[in-house]
Amino acid sequence: MSNVGIVIVSHSPDVAKGTADMVRQMVGPEVPLAWCGGNPDGGLGTDVGAILAAIDQAWSDAGVAVLVDLGGAETNSEMAVEMLPEARRNRVAICNAPIVEGAVIAATEASGGSLLDEVRRMAEELSPQ
């Protein structure tokens, strides 16, 4: 697929899945999309392995934008990116944006064929200044 992929990482699997459902309803199947949430025990948290799997699922040669809900999700996403093969690392952007609004805007931008930097920039415009 040639559009930038979107990954949603939340401490809550319900938030991650609900956000992914909104994105899919808004942009359809044109954007590779994956989500993960919760820790391996089923509680609140994030898991580096699940984040890696989500990046692989949403992978596109155009890159992947990762939307996170809280600091731990960002930290684990950064660790996941560091674990990727070197050729992929530079094609993943962790967006500093509100998770729901940012994911919808990022996916909308990606569905139009925008490059990864533009997808990230549009999502991050929603962040409080």
Side-chain angles (χ1 to χ4, degrees):
M1 189 164 278
S2 61
N3 289 332
V4 169
I6 304 295
V7 170
I8 299 160
V9 180
S10 175
H11 282 70
S12 165
D14 293 334
V15 169
K17 182 181 183 314
T19 302
D21 288 344
M22 287 182 67
V23 167
R24 187 57 71 217
Q25 288 180 31
M26 306 255 330
V27 300
E30 293 82 30
V31 174
L33 176 66
W35 61 271
C36 59
N39 66 27
D41 299 323
L44 294 177
T46 59
D47 177 63
V48 173
I51 296 167
L52 279 167
I55 291 171
D56 281 341
Q57 183 180 345
W59 185 257
S60 165
D61 288 339
V64 174
V66 179
L67 285 292
V68 299
D69 64 354
L70 299 170
E74 182 175 7
T75 300
N76 281 345
S77 294
E78 289 169 351
M79 284 193 282
V81 171
E82 289 175 13
M83 295 171 75
L84 290 170
E86 189 172 340
R88 284 190 166 191
R89 281 184 215 140
N90 291 334
R91 290 196 259 166
V92 178
I94 300 171
C95 301
N96 181 16
I99 191 166
V100 176
E101 298 93 332
V104 169
I105 292 297
T108 301
E109 194 66 28
S111 71
S114 293
L115 299 175
L116 179 59
D117 284 342
E118 182 66 11
V119 170
R120 180 195 47 76
R121 188 183 68 72
M122 291 301 293
E124 290 181 349
E125 281 187 7
L126 298 170
S127 293
Q129 302 301 326

